[in-house]
Amino acid sequence: MDTKLRSILPDHELIRLYEQMVLCREFEEACAEQYTKGNITGFLHLYSGQEAVAAGATHALHGDDYVISAYREHPQAIVRGADPRRVMAELFGKATGICKGKGGSMHLFDPNLHFMGGYAIVGGQFPIATGLAFAARYRREERIVACFFGDGAVNQGTFHEGLNWARLWELPVLYVCENNFYGIGTEVHRSSALADIHKRTCGYDIPSERVDGMDVMAVYQAVKHAAEWVREHSRPYLIEAITYRFRGHSMSDPGKYRASAEVELWKERDPIPNFAKRLLGEGIAGQPLLDKVRETAAAQVAEAVKFAEESPWPDDDEVFNDVYV
Amino acid sequence: MDTKLRSILPDHELIRLYEQMVLCREFEEACAEQYTKGNITGFLHLYSGQEAVAAGATHALHGDDYVISAYREHPQAIVRGADPRRVMAELFGKATGICKGKGGSMHLFDPNLHFMGGYAIVGGQFPIATGLAFAARYRREERIVACFFGDGAVNQGTFHEGLNWARLWELPVLYVCENNFYGIGTEVHRSSALADIHKRTCGYDIPSERVDGMDVMAVYQAVKHAAEWVREHSRPYLIEAITYRFRGHSMSDPGKYRASAEVELWKERDPIPNFAKRLLGEGIAGQPLLDKVRETAAAQVAEAVKFAEESPWPDDDEVFNDVYV
Amino acid sequence: MPEMTYRDALNLALKEEMRRDPMVVTWGEDVALYEGSFKVTRGLLAEFGEKRVLDTPISENTIVGVAVGAAMAGLRPVAELMTVNFALLAMDQIINHMSKIRYMFAGQTHLPMVIRAPGGGGSQLGAQHSQSLETFFMHAPGIHVAVPATPADAKGLLKAAIRDENPVMFLEHELLYNSKGEVPEDPEFVIPFGKCDVKREGKDVTIVAYSRMTVLALQAASELEKEGISCEVVDLRTLSPLDADTFVVSAAKTGRAVVVEECWRTCGLGAEIASRIYENCFDKLLAPVERVSGLNVPMPYSRKLEKLCIPQVGTIVAAVKKVMNEKY
Amino acid sequence: MPEMTYRDALNLALKEEMRRDPMVVTWGEDVALYEGSFKVTRGLLAEFGEKRVLDTPISENTIVGVAVGAAMAGLRPVAELMTVNFALLAMDQIINHMSKIRYMFAGQTHLPMVIRAPGGGGSQLGAQHSQSLETFFMHAPGIHVAVPATPADAKGLLKAAIRDENPVMFLEHELLYNSKGEVPEDPEFVIPFGKCDVKREGKDVTIVAYSRMTVLALQAASELEKEGISCEVVDLRTLSPLDADTFVVSAAKTGRAVVVEECWRTCGLGAEIASRIYENCFDKLLAPVERVSGLNVPMPYSRKLEKLCIPQVGTIVAAVKKVMNEKY
Ligand SMILES: Cc1ncc(C[n+]2csc(CCOP(=O)(O)OP(=O)(O)O)c2C)c(N)n1
Ligand SMILES: Cc1ncc(C[n+]2csc(CCOP(=O)(O)OP(=O)(O)O)c2C)c(N)n1
Ligand SMILES: [Mg+2]
Ligand SMILES: [Mg+2]
């Protein structure tokens, strides 16, 4: 890695990437705390460790590109511009939540941000991503669809159907696989015949590549290039980002299937301090600025928690709304 | 094609292959006639043109290997040893049918022949084939599973799930794709991103090859080799047999989507007369024997029709049988 | 009013709506070049071109899911499942996604989409191709379900389905495609969802039916008339929304009701209809509601057996006589 | 009798049956190394090894279909769907294949297999993870459906399911896993399918329930007893086969009935139960049958809203009072 950061992005964007990763980490850790306190219930899948993917990839997209994801998606919504207060309120089940408390952790959605939803059915987003891309192409829009999913999702039939369909109809879908090596407790080589997920597109004539998902700049550059390719050719492309989740699958998973040495090794590759080091090393930011970033993020998240706590519950009537138009 | 037939199989087996193809053709053409007469109703998908695949492949299998297929499966059951009379009776919906008239054309089944069924849901046989193979391996049996399907079936999620699973669990499944270029009216390149179906296994680390499905010996040899490989390694393998159906998709399809020149071209590659020519040319059979084969087959099919006609309808009570054990 | 087939009425509805609104697009297996396996999409490719009329791979879950995504992005897709049996491959997109997306995202999006699916039994297609799955879709909130019985209803309801802002399962009956009837020419002829159609008035007994069962019920009513029994035939037209008022009022009036459903009897929609009648006419019913249903068996192929599994005019007649004879 | 949890009772049933019969094998997502996402398969991998206890890819349709194929070849697979919501991805194998194979092949094969699937709402898992889909499986002929309410029933019914020669959907309730009760130690303790269990006798009103709804019904009955209302609680235990006799006799005796179902109300199994009662006790019913049901909405996440969607003890109490007060 010898390319200088400044040759890739201007300082303020680099700082912005750092800010986003820190905000996401703070947000997720606050979620864990609120879960322990009982303010958040249900399944809670945290993203800590994977921030470079959400931040780097999203930064490489256009504002009106569609983004669609699975259930580990708080950071993906937040880096897209979702208000952390409303995301936290959603997790609390409050009326001020991004989905009025009706969606919950796994179902964030904001059409204004072109964030087309978190889905809790593994692989459920593939067909929908294909449809979003069809609509974009049908209307001759410039936008593409960035479809995020995990290593476990590639064995669903929908993955295959989606790849074939997107290539056949020449649809602008950028598949971003966050390979964190586990689907709950099952390691990728125990669920996939070919654990090199990017190689799975060979049967569909879809280009693909693997990228270091712990390096925000590597993700940014790969996605930038791929997104432009998809936009230009109106054809799918797949990026496999190698990453790791620092916590269990969800808050109820103690994660015993991973050796602590393995986890520790990956924590040394934490995308946040490593990026901080580069920012410092290349003189893009000084320590005071980085400290400030963390304080600001912490304050923003504290404010989000407060907002969620103080927000009202939905009215009982809300239960019957939105079933039909 | 310069290998001499006799170097591959003894004369009586070569004749047997010819007999089977002829019997299948006669059977299918008789079905068409009985459909026109109204004795057979429902969907009727005929196999004429593809005989080399069923005959060649089945001949290469062991008698206790499992065979599973789709809805264009009369010949596959017949070459496996099913009594044409009981198959015809099934198509008539009679009590003497191979499934007592309850299955019909698309659902032939005979466990004694290890013919594990025709299925009418495109792609429905993939998961079942995987399960059959698991059972065989679990019991340390020698047998493998031959799973037949069409070019249209490879875009179902189950195809992908099955390939991945069979490779992952190291199961002895021999996939035989009968690529006749059409799924109903849709040509393979309009449904598949990669029309070279055998190349689709690259994402699963499964070996595959393409074979001339109009040449019974080519099919036989390829399947022979592949089946032994599967048996030895307990791992999946895929064969794509290039073939053609001479009739429409089913009896209700006039087949207008295919140029008659295309159909004519393929009819010149009819596996039956071409194989006859080789048998004659290499002195394995004389014309009188070949004529005799056809007469015998015709008589057998006429007898099957008669049997079906004269057989009784199922009792009304039969409607409630076999829902549960 | 011109006479036309149910098939042509559907075809006309598709054409009219596609002419009216460029956001209406359609896809499915063999709907374009082949013009549909039941020829409902005849002429669409020729008129609207391959941008709007598309053949798909055999991937049913994705056929539905692509419509979900496209609808979310503002198109009005009409996806065809070649038959409703294949909806079982798409239940994930239908029930887990299509029916819930608006709700779980708190109304921030909606899905103006239609899934057309022919179904029903009676053509000797065997167990996997003869199902009547309407109850599955009626059970799940968030979906509208239409079940036209006549060519006019087919046209008017399909147009309403395409204009509906909600996802619609539009269930056509394979045995009705060739049936004929008068169909209004007016391109604004749209039949609102959630209104039963009293297809025949009567005073002795109410027959509640839908789709092809309505046709049989009307035939039964004609036969019964000869024997002096006057049947009121209420055609549900849409299962969701369900217009219970109309059949409840009718049953309260006649005091006797027969529900005819082609689906399996156990937990079939007939139980729901019957329950609504009991709940609302408890003191007015003169006999228990009769359910005439598909038998609780997978469909056998043999024509002799198949006939036993599907309600026939005769079974409806017998059921009506049974409720007429019960005295309480 | 030892006390144990519903989870441990299921675990014990699995272990006993796997010890008894080497043809019993089990697989599913994370059932082996991870020991199940609800820990029902704890200790299985250790005891029976990786040949018999297998983790699978996330491919639900295939999870079921592999069991179909293996059962056809003579094994007795017990496949786990991590939750019943994912059965919607497997409806093709469940309904198009598993339920029909024996019939369409005229009894030449049978499928001694079990699909275990936890389900139900109440844990704030949101719309896609909180479904009660039992009616879907009850509607389709060819499947047995078990819905245990107590640890003892969980053990006895799971053992019966594994020994059953028919395919069984075995529906566990996520909120019951930690519930405790006495469980017979006898390894031959097997509860036959198709027999309701009268879990409480009473004379004023019959409450028909299943799975977690039985637990709530019993609590409601205790509360109502204090007010002098005597409830008979009939636990269905299996939905298919359905033992209608027991609840019909009970309803005929009490003259009043309440059905409690967690699934969506419209076309829920409660309508079937109610219809059976009406059909068989028409002249003995003193009031219409009350259905206490899940609301007809996708499940909202917020705990405040979720609670409104699922029957509660209070709603059952209210329903019983309602039927007690109706006078005809
Ligand atoms: C259809 C379906 N099957 C199973 C599950 C249960 N489940 C939730 S997450 C998960 C693992 C997914 O792993 P992966 O795709 O790698 O994503 P990650 O959790 O690592 O982000 C499973 C099996 C589900 N939600 N949906
Ligand atoms: C799940 C499903 N979808 C659609 C159909 C309707 N259908 C029957 S055959 C067929 C085409 C299959 O083509 P292919 O696999 O190439 O087999 P072939 O008919 O050429 O033998 C289709 C779409 C079906 N039976 N099942
Ligand atoms: Mg993962
Ligand atoms: Mg084909």
Side-chain angles (χ1 to χ4, degrees):
Chain A
M1 191 70 62
D2 30 30
T3 330
K4 288 272 174 290
L5 295 179
R6 277 198 176 118
S7 72
I8 305 168
L9 282 176
D11 285 20
H12 71 278
E13 292 192 39
L14 295 165
I15 303 291
R16 178 92 191 107
L17 281 174
Y18 184 71
E19 282 169 355
Q20 291 200 310
M21 292 199 289
V22 170
L23 175 61
C24 291
R25 178 70 57 88
E26 293 286 330
F27 188 89
E28 295 295 73
E29 297 304 312
C31 287
E33 196 188 328
Q34 294 305 316
Y35 180 88
T36 314
K37 287 191 180 165
N39 287 328
I40 301 175
T41 32
F43 289 150
L44 182 64
H45 309 87
L46 300 179
Y47 195 76
S48 302
Q50 303 184 200
E51 292 85 352
V53 185
T58 305
H59 198 71
L61 298 174
H62 290 186
D64 65 351
D65 288 338
Y66 289 127
V67 173
I68 186 167
S69 189
Y71 46 81
R72 195 183 299 287
E73 91 289 25
H74 314 157
Q76 276 155 351
I78 288 172
V79 297
R80 195 72 186 162
D83 181 346
R85 298 181 310 159
R86 295 193 55 216
V87 176
M88 189 61 82
E90 185 65 29
L91 273 49
F92 275 56
K94 296 297 185 74
T96 53
I98 189 167
C99 292
K100 297 193 210 159
K102 290 166 96 164
S105 165
M106 306 196 283
H107 303 302
L108 304 178
F109 187 87
D110 190 335
N112 300 318
L113 305 171
H114 309 289
F115 186 80
M116 304 312 277
Y119 297 84
I121 298 295
V122 170
Q125 71 272 47
F126 294 120
I128 302 177
T130 315
L132 291 167
F134 173 78
R137 208 203 49 176
Y138 183 79
R139 297 165 130 170
R140 303 179 189 282
E141 295 166 344
E142 286 289 290
R143 61 176 136 206
I144 70 168
V145 179
C147 176
F148 291 87
F149 56 99
D151 48 287
V154 301
N155 301 313
Q156 286 288 22
T158 49
F159 177 63
H160 160 80
E161 295 183 0
L163 291 181
N164 182 58
W165 191 305
R167 178 66 186 87
L168 191 70
W169 283 19
E170 308 206 324
L171 301 179
V173 184
L174 175 60
Y175 295 94
V176 183
C177 177
E178 304 195 50
N179 183 353
N180 60 13
F181 295 99
Y182 292 88
I184 307 188
T186 301
E187 226 176 321
V188 61
H189 70 268
R190 296 202 308 114
S191 65
S192 278
L194 202 71
D196 295 330
I197 286 167
H198 63 290
K199 294 193 182 154
R200 289 201 153 202
T201 61
C202 61
Y204 313 89
D205 185 28
I206 294 178
S208 64
E209 72 186 283
R210 178 175 267 179
V211 64
D212 179 358
M214 301 305 264
D215 176 348
V216 67
M217 292 313 290
V219 173
Y220 167 74
Q221 286 183 288
V223 173
K224 182 86 191 165
H225 169 264
E228 289 323 314
W229 190 92
V230 168
R231 207 180 302 281
E232 187 182 331
H233 295 85
S234 187
R235 269 175 51 188
Y237 193 106
L238 183 143
I239 288 179
E240 176 190 8
I242 299 296
T243 183
Y244 203 78
R245 58 169 159 73
F246 291 163
R247 292 180 163 273
H249 169 72
S250 71
M251 283 302 286
S252 58
D253 168 25
K256 290 193 197 138
Y257 45 87
R258 308 190 301 189
S260 53
E262 177 185 310
V263 180
E264 287 318 310
L265 211 71
W266 279 97
K267 283 198 174 160
E268 284 170 23
R269 307 201 49 223
D270 189 329
I272 299 176
N274 281 329
F275 192 54
K277 246 178 256 154
R278 288 181 72 190
L279 291 174
L280 291 168
E282 298 187 22
I284 293 157
Q287 193 57 47
L289 176 59
L290 299 187
D291 292 345
K292 181 81 193 305
V293 166
R294 186 162 304 267
E295 282 159 30
T296 309
Q300 215 181 333
V301 170
E303 159 63 14
V305 171
K306 185 156 173 284
F307 175 82
E309 277 170 348
E310 292 173 358
S311 286
W313 292 100
D315 282 346
D316 283 1
D317 289 355
E318 194 56 64
V319 84
F320 292 112
N321 292 340
D322 307 323
V323 181
Y324 294 98
V325 175
Chain B
M1 191 70 61
D2 29 29
T3 330
K4 287 272 174 285
L5 294 179
R6 276 193 177 122
S7 71
I8 304 169
L9 281 176
D11 284 18
H12 71 277
E13 292 192 40
L14 295 166
I15 302 291
R16 178 94 191 104
L17 281 174
Y18 184 70
E19 284 169 354
Q20 290 201 311
M21 289 199 291
V22 171
L23 175 60
C24 291
R25 178 70 55 87
E26 292 287 331
F27 188 90
E28 294 294 74
E29 297 305 312
C31 288
E33 194 186 330
Q34 295 305 317
Y35 180 89
T36 313
K37 286 190 178 164
N39 287 327
I40 301 175
T41 29
F43 289 149
L44 182 64
H45 309 87
L46 300 179
Y47 196 73
S48 302
Q50 304 184 197
E51 292 85 353
V53 186
T58 304
H59 198 72
L61 298 174
H62 291 187
D64 65 350
D65 287 339
Y66 289 126
V67 173
I68 186 167
S69 188
Y71 46 83
R72 196 183 298 287
E73 89 290 25
H74 314 157
Q76 276 154 350
I78 289 173
V79 297
R80 195 73 186 159
D83 181 348
R85 297 181 310 158
R86 296 192 55 216
V87 176
M88 190 61 82
E90 185 64 30
L91 273 48
F92 275 56
K94 296 299 185 74
T96 54
I98 189 167
C99 294
K100 299 193 207 160
K102 290 165 97 164
S105 165
M106 306 195 283
H107 304 301
L108 304 178
F109 187 85
D110 190 335
N112 301 317
L113 305 171
H114 308 290
F115 186 80
M116 305 313 277
Y119 297 84
I121 298 296
V122 170
Q125 71 272 48
F126 295 120
I128 302 177
T130 314
L132 292 168
F134 173 78
R137 207 203 51 173
Y138 184 77
R139 297 163 128 174
R140 302 180 188 283
E141 294 166 344
E142 286 288 289
R143 62 177 138 209
I144 70 166
V145 179
C147 176
F148 291 87
F149 56 98
D151 48 285
V154 302
N155 301 313
Q156 285 289 22
T158 50
F159 176 64
H160 160 79
E161 294 184 2
L163 291 181
N164 181 58
W165 192 305
R167 178 66 187 87
L168 191 69
W169 282 19
E170 305 205 328
L171 300 179
V173 184
L174 175 60
Y175 295 94
V176 183
C177 178
E178 303 195 51
N179 183 353
N180 61 12
F181 295 100
Y182 292 88
I184 308 187
T186 301
E187 226 177 320
V188 59
H189 70 266
R190 296 203 308 114
S191 65
S192 278
L194 202 70
D196 296 330
I197 287 168
H198 63 289
K199 293 191 183 156
R200 288 198 152 205
T201 61
C202 61
Y204 312 89
D205 185 27
I206 293 178
S208 65
E209 71 186 284
R210 177 176 269 180
V211 64
D212 179 358
M214 301 306 266
D215 176 348
V216 67
M217 293 312 291
V219 173
Y220 168 74
Q221 287 183 287
V223 172
K224 182 86 190 162
H225 168 262
E228 290 322 314
W229 190 91
V230 168
R231 208 180 300 281
E232 187 183 329
H233 295 85
S234 186
R235 268 174 51 186
Y237 193 106
L238 184 142
I239 287 180
E240 176 189 7
I242 298 295
T243 183
Y244 203 76
R245 57 168 161 73
F246 292 163
R247 292 181 161 274
H249 168 72
S250 71
M251 284 301 287
S252 58
D253 168 25
K256 290 193 199 142
Y257 45 85
R258 307 191 301 189
S260 53
E262 176 185 310
V263 180
E264 288 317 311
L265 212 69
W266 279 95
K267 283 197 173 160
E268 284 171 23
R269 308 202 47 222
D270 190 329
I272 298 177
N274 281 328
F275 191 52
K277 245 179 258 156
R278 289 181 71 189
L279 291 174
L280 292 169
E282 299 188 21
I284 294 157
Q287 192 57 47
L289 176 60
L290 298 187
D291 291 345
K292 181 85 193 303
V293 166
R294 187 164 302 271
E295 282 157 30
T296 309
Q300 214 182 333
V301 169
E303 158 64 15
V305 170
K306 186 157 173 284
F307 175 82
E309 275 169 351
E310 292 173 358
S311 287
W313 291 101
D315 282 347
D316 282 1
D317 289 356
E318 194 55 64
V319 84
F320 292 113
N321 292 339
D322 307 324
V323 181
Y324 294 98
V325 174
Chain C
M1 269 195 285
E3 262 225 338
M4 62 175 81
T5 61
Y6 187 89
R7 171 186 293 106
D8 289 341
L10 292 165
N11 180 266
L12 185 57
L14 282 167
K15 284 184 178 158
E16 286 179 0
E17 294 305 303
M18 289 187 78
R19 285 173 197 143
R20 200 179 62 87
D21 183 349
M23 289 299 116
V24 179
V25 287
T26 190
W27 56 74
E29 295 157 13
D30 285 304
V31 300
L33 201 64
Y34 193 71
E35 303 192 311
S37 63
F38 293 98
K39 303 300 167 201
V40 174
T41 52
R42 193 175 275 154
L44 262 55
L45 177 63
E47 179 169 349
F48 303 104
E50 59 182 28
K51 269 200 64 174
R52 295 182 68 191
V53 183
L54 299 99
D55 286 321
T56 71
I58 307 175
S59 312
E60 280 83 5
N61 204 22
T62 299
I63 288 174
V64 174
V66 172
V68 170
M72 209 187 268
L75 305 194
R76 304 187 82 86
V78 181
E80 177 182 292
L81 291 173
M82 195 178 276
T83 80
V84 78
N85 306 284
F86 316 144
L88 291 171
L89 289 92
M91 289 298 266
D92 173 47
Q93 283 298 320
I94 296 172
I95 309 291
N96 278 334
H97 295 87
M98 185 180 92
S99 81
K100 295 176 172 50
I101 277 179
R102 178 171 172 74
Y103 191 84
M104 69 191 194
F105 298 148
Q108 295 178 93
T109 189
H110 68 285
L111 305 178
M113 60 179 281
V114 181
I115 306 293
R116 289 185 38 246
S123 305
Q124 275 199 271
L125 304 183
Q128 294 187 326
H129 272 66
S130 303
Q131 297 172 93
S132 297
L133 302 177
E134 45 275 10
T135 305
F136 284 163
F137 310 118
M138 187 174 168
H139 185 42
I143 308 176
H144 280 169
V145 185
V147 280
T150 67
D153 287 355
K155 182 181 176 198
L157 290 170
L158 183 52
K159 289 169 70 78
I162 297 171
R163 296 183 188 193
D164 197 330
E165 299 300 330
N166 298 290
V168 179
M169 289 297 301
F170 193 88
L171 304 177
E172 303 165 9
H173 200 294
E174 295 170 23
L175 287 187
L176 292 180
Y177 281 129
N178 290 329
S179 67
K180 283 193 170 174
E182 295 196 331
V183 176
E185 276 178 298
D186 177 9
E188 287 307 308
F189 169 67
V190 172
I191 297 176
F193 276 23
K195 284 300 298 167
C196 290
D197 186 34
V198 179
K199 287 220 158 39
R200 178 184 177 119
E201 295 195 3
K203 58 183 185 14
D204 296 329
V205 57
T206 298
I207 309 181
V208 185
Y210 63 95
S211 187
R212 180 165 174 259
M213 298 300 103
T214 296
V215 177
L216 301 189
L218 288 168
Q219 290 170 25
S222 299
E223 286 198 16
L224 287 158
E225 187 177 35
K226 294 177 205 147
E227 306 188 34
I229 300 174
S230 161
C231 299
E232 180 143 307
V233 178
V234 180
D235 178 21
L236 294 171
R237 288 217 283 215
T238 58
L239 303 179
S240 301
L242 181 69
D243 170 20
D245 283 354
T246 298
F247 65 75
V248 160
V249 166
S250 174
K253 176 181 83 177
T254 61
R256 294 182 161 91
V258 171
V259 190
V260 194
E261 59 187 340
E262 183 165 345
C263 58
W264 298 303
R265 180 187 185 89
T266 298
C267 292
L269 63 93
E272 177 68 33
I273 305 296
S275 294
R276 298 286 182 105
I277 294 174
Y278 289 120
E279 285 159 6
N280 293 287
C281 319
F282 189 67
D283 51 349
K284 301 193 185 76
L285 278 184
L286 305 169
V289 180
E290 265 303 302
R291 289 189 274 166
V292 178
S293 314
L295 287 195
N296 277 332
V297 304
M299 191 67 78
Y301 165 75
S302 178
R303 67 186 77 172
K304 174 158 184 266
L305 300 180
E306 186 186 45
K307 221 182 151 192
L308 303 172
C309 297
I310 302 173
Q312 308 287 334
V313 174
T315 36
I316 301 172
V317 167
V320 168
K321 288 187 184 165
K322 184 166 174 224
V323 296
M324 289 303 296
N325 286 333
E326 292 191 61
K327 296 262 148 29
Y328 287 90
Chain D
M1 270 195 287
E3 262 227 337
M4 64 174 78
T5 61
Y6 186 91
R7 172 187 293 107
D8 288 341
L10 293 165
N11 180 265
L12 185 58
L14 282 167
K15 284 183 178 159
E16 286 178 2
E17 293 306 303
M18 289 187 78
R19 285 174 197 144
R20 199 179 63 87
D21 183 347
M23 288 299 116
V24 179
V25 287
T26 189
W27 56 73
E29 295 156 15
D30 285 305
V31 301
L33 201 66
Y34 193 72
E35 303 192 308
S37 64
F38 293 99
K39 302 301 165 200
V40 174
T41 52
R42 192 175 276 155
L44 262 57
L45 177 63
E47 180 170 348
F48 303 103
E50 61 184 23
K51 270 200 64 175
R52 295 182 68 192
V53 183
L54 300 98
D55 286 322
T56 72
I58 307 174
S59 310
E60 281 82 7
N61 205 21
T62 299
I63 287 174
V64 174
V66 172
V68 170
M72 209 187 268
L75 305 194
R76 304 187 81 86
V78 181
E80 178 181 294
L81 291 173
M82 194 178 276
T83 79
V84 78
N85 305 283
F86 316 144
L88 291 171
L89 288 90
M91 289 300 267
D92 172 48
Q93 284 298 320
I94 295 172
I95 310 291
N96 278 332
H97 295 87
M98 183 179 91
S99 81
K100 296 177 170 50
I101 276 180
R102 178 171 172 73
Y103 191 85
M104 68 190 193
F105 298 148
Q108 295 179 92
T109 188
H110 68 283
L111 305 178
M113 60 180 281
V114 181
I115 306 294
R116 291 184 38 245
S123 305
Q124 274 198 275
L125 303 184
Q128 294 187 324
H129 273 65
S130 304
Q131 296 172 95
S132 297
L133 302 177
E134 45 275 11
T135 304
F136 283 163
F137 310 118
M138 187 172 169
H139 185 41
I143 309 176
H144 280 168
V145 185
V147 280
T150 67
D153 288 353
K155 184 182 177 200
L157 290 170
L158 183 52
K159 288 168 70 78
I162 296 172
R163 297 182 187 194
D164 196 329
E165 299 300 330
N166 299 289
V168 180
M169 289 297 301
F170 193 89
L171 305 176
E172 304 165 8
H173 200 293
E174 295 170 22
L175 286 187
L176 293 180
Y177 281 129
N178 290 329
S179 67
K180 284 193 170 173
E182 294 196 332
V183 176
E185 275 178 297
D186 177 9
E188 285 308 307
F189 169 67
V190 172
I191 298 176
F193 275 23
K195 285 300 299 166
C196 289
D197 186 35
V198 179
K199 285 215 157 47
R200 179 186 176 118
E201 294 193 4
K203 57 181 185 18
D204 297 329
V205 56
T206 298
I207 309 180
V208 185
Y210 62 95
S211 188
R212 180 166 176 259
M213 297 300 104
T214 297
V215 177
L216 301 190
L218 288 168
Q219 291 170 23
S222 300
E223 284 198 19
L224 287 157
E225 187 178 35
K226 294 178 205 146
E227 304 189 34
I229 301 175
S230 163
C231 299
E232 181 144 306
V233 178
V234 179
D235 179 20
L236 295 171
R237 287 218 283 216
T238 59
L239 303 178
S240 303
L242 182 67
D243 169 19
D245 283 354
T246 299
F247 65 74
V248 160
V249 166
S250 174
K253 176 181 83 175
T254 61
R256 294 182 160 94
V258 171
V259 191
V260 194
E261 60 188 340
E262 184 165 344
C263 59
W264 297 302
R265 180 185 184 92
T266 298
C267 291
L269 61 93
E272 177 68 34
I273 305 297
S275 293
R276 298 285 182 106
I277 294 173
Y278 289 120
E279 284 160 6
N280 293 287
C281 319
F282 189 68
D283 52 350
K284 299 192 187 75
L285 277 185
L286 304 170
V289 180
E290 265 302 303
R291 290 189 276 165
V292 179
S293 314
L295 287 196
N296 277 332
V297 304
M299 191 67 79
Y301 164 77
S302 178
R303 65 186 76 170
K304 175 159 183 265
L305 300 181
E306 187 187 42
K307 219 179 154 197
L308 303 173
C309 296
I310 301 173
Q312 309 286 335
V313 173
T315 36
I316 301 172
V317 166
V320 168
K321 289 189 183 164
K322 183 165 176 226
V323 295
M324 290 303 295
N325 286 335
E326 291 192 63
K327 296 261 151 27
Y328 286 91

